[in-house]
């Protein structure tokens, strides 16, 4: 039964570290698209919302998605989906996209706002760091308090000897 108190915080820490990796990766991709200097006019092909939560959950989350298509400077037609765009962009609208060159094209229709994105990334990473530190502290405290090797590892018994 004690395994639960080690496995669950371990899984939460692993999830938080993975989420931190994804946040940093996306931040670097968007920053690379803004810094590349490559822009194109893209057409919004579709705008839709997704709804999650609801049944047993009291919170309902609605996310706005846009599907854009543009022609890169090398003639390739690039289509990508982005969430969190402006609600005023509808199907048929033209927007400016920033994108990276290469085999794997990363594009965004978000206008450059480096400070806002950096602050958001730092805030998310700080929160995930607090989650990891809390879970590590919980595991350490639980191991010190209720661990099966409590007396064996953390105390010295003068009546026993380690010598053969």
């Amino acid at each position: 039964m004690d395994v639960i108190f080690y496995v669950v915080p371990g899984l939460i820490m692993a999830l938080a570290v993975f989420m931190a990796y994804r946040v940093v990766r996306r931040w670097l991709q968007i920053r690379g698209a803004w810094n590349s200097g490559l822009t194109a006019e893209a057409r919004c092909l579709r705008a839709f919302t997704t709804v999650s939560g609801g049944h047993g959950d009291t919170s309902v989350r609605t996310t706005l998605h846009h599907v854009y298509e543009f022609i890169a400077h090398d003639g390739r037609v690039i289509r990508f989906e982005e969430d969190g765009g402006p609600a005023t962009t509808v199907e048929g609208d033209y927007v400016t996209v920033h994108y990276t060159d290469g085999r794997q094209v990363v594009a965004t229709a978000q206008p450059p706002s480096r400070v806002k994105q950096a602050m958001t990334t730092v805030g998310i990473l700080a929160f995930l760091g607090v989650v990891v530190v809390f879970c590590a502290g919980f595991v350490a405290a639980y191991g010190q308090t209720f661990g099966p090797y409590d007396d064996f590892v953390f105390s010295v018994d003068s009546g026993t000897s380690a010598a053969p």
Side-chain angles (χ1 to χ4, degrees):
M1 190 64 178
D2 286 340
V3 171
I4 291 173
F5 293 106
Y6 295 108
V7 171
V8 171
L11 290 175
I12 292 171
M13 285 190 292
L15 180 65
V17 169
F18 177 72
M19 289 173 63
Y21 160 75
R22 294 288 302 203
V23 165
V24 170
R25 182 173 175 236
R26 183 66 183 158
W27 175 53
L28 293 174
Q29 287 176 335
I30 296 292
R31 196 179 81 174
W34 286 338
N35 290 339
S36 71
L38 298 172
T39 61
E41 186 176 59
R43 184 166 186 240
C44 178
L45 300 177
R46 185 169 177 229
F48 62 96
T49 58
T50 57
V51 179
S52 60
H55 294 287
D57 194 7
T58 58
S59 63
V60 176
R61 182 173 167 228
T62 304
T63 307
L64 180 63
H65 298 270
H66 292 94
V67 178
Y68 298 105
E69 185 175 79
F70 68 96
I71 299 175
H73 73 281
D74 59 359
R76 291 184 292 166
V77 176
I78 308 294
R79 181 179 291 184
F80 70 98
E81 179 181 328
E82 187 171 52
D83 60 337
T88 56
T89 302
V90 295
E91 293 180 26
D93 285 353
Y94 287 93
V95 297
T96 300
V97 295
H98 300 268
Y99 66 98
T100 59
D101 195 17
R103 215 172 124 238
Q104 180 72 25
V105 174
V106 176
T108 182
Q110 299 174 5
S113 63
R114 289 167 177 80
V115 173
K116 179 183 173 186
Q117 187 190 26
M119 294 305 292
T120 302
T121 301
V122 167
I124 292 170
L125 291 177
F127 173 74
L128 293 172
V130 168
V131 169
V132 168
V133 168
F134 177 79
C135 288
F138 176 82
V139 168
Y142 185 82
Q144 287 269 339
T145 306
F146 301 109
Y149 306 110
D150 195 28
D151 294 332
F152 181 71
V153 174
F154 298 112
S155 66
V156 176
D157 186 7
S158 61
T160 60
S161 172

PDB file of all heavy atoms in Angstrom, residues 2-20:
ATOM      1  N   ASP A   2       2.052   1.184   0.593  1.00  0.00           N
ATOM      2  CA  ASP A   2       2.936   2.338   0.613  1.00  0.00           C
ATOM      3  C   ASP A   2       3.421   2.720  -0.782  1.00  0.00           C
ATOM      4  O   ASP A   2       3.820   3.861  -1.004  1.00  0.00           O
ATOM      5  CB  ASP A   2       4.161   2.060   1.495  1.00  0.00           C
ATOM      6  CG  ASP A   2       3.822   2.081   2.967  1.00  0.00           C
ATOM      7  OD1 ASP A   2       2.779   2.667   3.307  1.00  0.00           O
ATOM      8  OD2 ASP A   2       4.594   1.514   3.765  1.00  0.00           O
ATOM      9  N   VAL A   3       3.382   1.777  -1.696  1.00  0.00           N
ATOM     10  CA  VAL A   3       3.847   2.040  -3.058  1.00  0.00           C
ATOM     11  C   VAL A   3       3.056   3.178  -3.695  1.00  0.00           C
ATOM     12  O   VAL A   3       3.610   3.976  -4.455  1.00  0.00           O
ATOM     13  CB  VAL A   3       3.753   0.744  -3.900  1.00  0.00           C
ATOM     14  CG1 VAL A   3       4.008   1.015  -5.355  1.00  0.00           C
ATOM     15  CG2 VAL A   3       4.707  -0.290  -3.370  1.00  0.00           C
ATOM     16  N   ILE A   4       1.785   3.285  -3.370  1.00  0.00           N
ATOM     17  CA  ILE A   4       0.947   4.344  -3.933  1.00  0.00           C
ATOM     18  C   ILE A   4       1.512   5.714  -3.609  1.00  0.00           C
ATOM     19  O   ILE A   4       1.505   6.617  -4.438  1.00  0.00           O
ATOM     20  CB  ILE A   4      -0.508   4.213  -3.421  1.00  0.00           C
ATOM     21  CG1 ILE A   4      -1.149   2.965  -4.007  1.00  0.00           C
ATOM     22  CG2 ILE A   4      -1.328   5.446  -3.753  1.00  0.00           C
ATOM     23  CD1 ILE A   4      -2.515   2.658  -3.445  1.00  0.00           C
ATOM     24  N   PHE A   5       2.044   5.867  -2.387  1.00  0.00           N
ATOM     25  CA  PHE A   5       2.567   7.159  -1.958  1.00  0.00           C
ATOM     26  C   PHE A   5       3.909   7.491  -2.610  1.00  0.00           C
ATOM     27  O   PHE A   5       4.425   8.594  -2.448  1.00  0.00           O
ATOM     28  CB  PHE A   5       2.683   7.210  -0.439  1.00  0.00           C
ATOM     29  CG  PHE A   5       1.343   7.180   0.237  1.00  0.00           C
ATOM     30  CD1 PHE A   5       0.904   6.041   0.884  1.00  0.00           C
ATOM     31  CD2 PHE A   5       0.507   8.286   0.196  1.00  0.00           C
ATOM     32  CE1 PHE A   5      -0.332   6.010   1.501  1.00  0.00           C
ATOM     33  CE2 PHE A   5      -0.733   8.254   0.789  1.00  0.00           C
ATOM     34  CZ  PHE A   5      -1.154   7.116   1.460  1.00  0.00           C
ATOM     35  N   TYR A   6       4.484   6.549  -3.316  1.00  0.00           N
ATOM     36  CA  TYR A   6       5.694   6.802  -4.083  1.00  0.00           C
ATOM     37  C   TYR A   6       5.396   6.883  -5.577  1.00  0.00           C
ATOM     38  O   TYR A   6       5.958   7.720  -6.287  1.00  0.00           O
ATOM     39  CB  TYR A   6       6.731   5.699  -3.837  1.00  0.00           C
ATOM     40  CG  TYR A   6       7.241   5.659  -2.419  1.00  0.00           C
ATOM     41  CD1 TYR A   6       6.873   4.634  -1.569  1.00  0.00           C
ATOM     42  CD2 TYR A   6       8.087   6.650  -1.945  1.00  0.00           C
ATOM     43  CE1 TYR A   6       7.337   4.601  -0.261  1.00  0.00           C
ATOM     44  CE2 TYR A   6       8.556   6.621  -0.639  1.00  0.00           C
ATOM     45  CZ  TYR A   6       8.182   5.598   0.197  1.00  0.00           C
ATOM     46  OH  TYR A   6       8.634   5.567   1.468  1.00  0.00           O
ATOM     47  N   VAL A   7       4.514   6.018  -6.070  1.00  0.00           N
ATOM     48  CA  VAL A   7       4.230   5.946  -7.501  1.00  0.00           C
ATOM     49  C   VAL A   7       3.417   7.150  -7.983  1.00  0.00           C
ATOM     50  O   VAL A   7       3.748   7.766  -9.005  1.00  0.00           O
ATOM     51  CB  VAL A   7       3.509   4.622  -7.849  1.00  0.00           C
ATOM     52  CG1 VAL A   7       3.018   4.627  -9.279  1.00  0.00           C
ATOM     53  CG2 VAL A   7       4.437   3.446  -7.615  1.00  0.00           C
ATOM     54  N   VAL A   8       2.367   7.504  -7.262  1.00  0.00           N
ATOM     55  CA  VAL A   8       1.511   8.607  -7.707  1.00  0.00           C
ATOM     56  C   VAL A   8       2.278   9.924  -7.773  1.00  0.00           C
ATOM     57  O   VAL A   8       2.236  10.611  -8.802  1.00  0.00           O
ATOM     58  CB  VAL A   8       0.238   8.714  -6.821  1.00  0.00           C
ATOM     59  CG1 VAL A   8      -0.539   9.976  -7.139  1.00  0.00           C
ATOM     60  CG2 VAL A   8      -0.641   7.494  -7.027  1.00  0.00           C
ATOM     61  N   PRO A   9       3.024  10.328  -6.722  1.00  0.00           N
ATOM     62  CA  PRO A   9       3.814  11.554  -6.870  1.00  0.00           C
ATOM     63  C   PRO A   9       4.875  11.443  -7.967  1.00  0.00           C
ATOM     64  O   PRO A   9       5.174  12.423  -8.653  1.00  0.00           O
ATOM     65  CB  PRO A   9       4.465  11.746  -5.503  1.00  0.00           C
ATOM     66  CG  PRO A   9       3.608  11.002  -4.559  1.00  0.00           C
ATOM     67  CD  PRO A   9       3.071   9.844  -5.335  1.00  0.00           C
ATOM     68  N   GLY A  10       5.431  10.249  -8.146  1.00  0.00           N
ATOM     69  CA  GLY A  10       6.402  10.054  -9.226  1.00  0.00           C
ATOM     70  C   GLY A  10       5.776  10.275 -10.598  1.00  0.00           C
ATOM     71  O   GLY A  10       6.379  10.897 -11.471  1.00  0.00           O
ATOM     72  N   LEU A  11       4.566   9.761 -10.788  1.00  0.00           N
ATOM     73  CA  LEU A  11       3.862   9.969 -12.057  1.00  0.00           C
ATOM     74  C   LEU A  11       3.500  11.437 -12.260  1.00  0.00           C
ATOM     75  O   LEU A  11       3.602  11.966 -13.375  1.00  0.00           O
ATOM     76  CB  LEU A  11       2.604   9.101 -12.117  1.00  0.00           C
ATOM     77  CG  LEU A  11       2.835   7.603 -12.244  1.00  0.00           C
ATOM     78  CD1 LEU A  11       1.509   6.850 -12.159  1.00  0.00           C
ATOM     79  CD2 LEU A  11       3.550   7.270 -13.539  1.00  0.00           C
ATOM     80  N   ILE A  12       3.083  12.109 -11.180  1.00  0.00           N
ATOM     81  CA  ILE A  12       2.764  13.535 -11.284  1.00  0.00           C
ATOM     82  C   ILE A  12       4.017  14.329 -11.652  1.00  0.00           C
ATOM     83  O   ILE A  12       3.969  15.228 -12.502  1.00  0.00           O
ATOM     84  CB  ILE A  12       2.137  14.046  -9.969  1.00  0.00           C
ATOM     85  CG1 ILE A  12       0.758  13.411  -9.770  1.00  0.00           C
ATOM     86  CG2 ILE A  12       2.033  15.571  -9.971  1.00  0.00           C
ATOM     87  CD1 ILE A  12       0.147  13.679  -8.411  1.00  0.00           C
ATOM     88  N   MET A  13       5.148  13.985 -11.038  1.00  0.00           N
ATOM     89  CA  MET A  13       6.401  14.676 -11.377  1.00  0.00           C
ATOM     90  C   MET A  13       6.797  14.412 -12.824  1.00  0.00           C
ATOM     91  O   MET A  13       7.230  15.328 -13.526  1.00  0.00           O
ATOM     92  CB  MET A  13       7.528  14.227 -10.444  1.00  0.00           C
ATOM     93  CG  MET A  13       7.434  14.808  -9.059  1.00  0.00           C
ATOM     94  SD  MET A  13       8.888  14.520  -8.039  1.00  0.00           S
ATOM     95  CE  MET A  13       8.821  12.760  -7.798  1.00  0.00           C
ATOM     96  N   ALA A  14       6.655  13.178 -13.277  1.00  0.00           N
ATOM     97  CA  ALA A  14       6.998  12.856 -14.664  1.00  0.00           C
ATOM     98  C   ALA A  14       6.108  13.630 -15.634  1.00  0.00           C
ATOM     99  O   ALA A  14       6.587  14.151 -16.647  1.00  0.00           O
ATOM    100  CB  ALA A  14       6.869  11.356 -14.904  1.00  0.00           C
ATOM    101  N   LEU A  15       4.818  13.725 -15.324  1.00  0.00           N
ATOM    102  CA  LEU A  15       3.897  14.483 -16.164  1.00  0.00           C
ATOM    103  C   LEU A  15       4.257  15.962 -16.170  1.00  0.00           C
ATOM    104  O   LEU A  15       4.239  16.611 -17.224  1.00  0.00           O
ATOM    105  CB  LEU A  15       2.457  14.285 -15.693  1.00  0.00           C
ATOM    106  CG  LEU A  15       1.384  15.018 -16.487  1.00  0.00           C
ATOM    107  CD1 LEU A  15       1.322  14.489 -17.920  1.00  0.00           C
ATOM    108  CD2 LEU A  15       0.034  14.874 -15.810  1.00  0.00           C
ATOM    109  N   ALA A  16       4.612  16.511 -15.017  1.00  0.00           N
ATOM    110  CA  ALA A  16       4.983  17.924 -14.939  1.00  0.00           C
ATOM    111  C   ALA A  16       6.260  18.200 -15.730  1.00  0.00           C
ATOM    112  O   ALA A  16       6.359  19.226 -16.426  1.00  0.00           O
ATOM    113  CB  ALA A  16       5.155  18.350 -13.483  1.00  0.00           C
ATOM    114  N   VAL A  17       7.234  17.303 -15.657  1.00  0.00           N
ATOM    115  CA  VAL A  17       8.478  17.481 -16.419  1.00  0.00           C
ATOM    116  C   VAL A  17       8.202  17.384 -17.919  1.00  0.00           C
ATOM    117  O   VAL A  17       8.734  18.160 -18.720  1.00  0.00           O
ATOM    118  CB  VAL A  17       9.545  16.457 -15.971  1.00  0.00           C
ATOM    119  CG1 VAL A  17      10.725  16.437 -16.919  1.00  0.00           C
ATOM    120  CG2 VAL A  17       9.997  16.764 -14.553  1.00  0.00           C
ATOM    121  N   PHE A  18       7.345  16.455 -18.319  1.00  0.00           N
ATOM    122  CA  PHE A  18       6.988  16.337 -19.740  1.00  0.00           C
ATOM    123  C   PHE A  18       6.265  17.595 -20.223  1.00  0.00           C
ATOM    124  O   PHE A  18       6.539  18.087 -21.313  1.00  0.00           O
ATOM    125  CB  PHE A  18       6.121  15.100 -19.972  1.00  0.00           C
ATOM    126  CG  PHE A  18       5.661  14.962 -21.387  1.00  0.00           C
ATOM    127  CD1 PHE A  18       6.547  14.594 -22.391  1.00  0.00           C
ATOM    128  CD2 PHE A  18       4.336  15.207 -21.734  1.00  0.00           C
ATOM    129  CE1 PHE A  18       6.130  14.476 -23.713  1.00  0.00           C
ATOM    130  CE2 PHE A  18       3.911  15.092 -23.048  1.00  0.00           C
ATOM    131  CZ  PHE A  18       4.806  14.726 -24.036  1.00  0.00           C
ATOM    132  N   MET A  19       5.349  18.100 -19.404  1.00  0.00           N
ATOM    133  CA  MET A  19       4.644  19.328 -19.776  1.00  0.00           C
ATOM    134  C   MET A  19       5.617  20.501 -19.887  1.00  0.00           C
ATOM    135  O   MET A  19       5.490  21.336 -20.788  1.00  0.00           O
ATOM    136  CB  MET A  19       3.538  19.636 -18.768  1.00  0.00           C
ATOM    137  CG  MET A  19       2.367  18.692 -18.855  1.00  0.00           C
ATOM    138  SD  MET A  19       1.155  18.909 -17.547  1.00  0.00           S
ATOM    139  CE  MET A  19       0.586  20.554 -17.872  1.00  0.00           C
ATOM    140  N   ALA A  20       6.593  20.580 -19.003  1.00  0.00           N
ATOM    141  CA  ALA A  20       7.604  21.636 -19.075  1.00  0.00           C
ATOM    142  C   ALA A  20       8.397  21.526 -20.374  1.00  0.00           C
ATOM    143  O   ALA A  20       8.679  22.537 -21.031  1.00  0.00           O
ATOM    144  CB  ALA A  20       8.527  21.563 -17.866  1.00  0.00           C
TER     145      ALA A  20
END
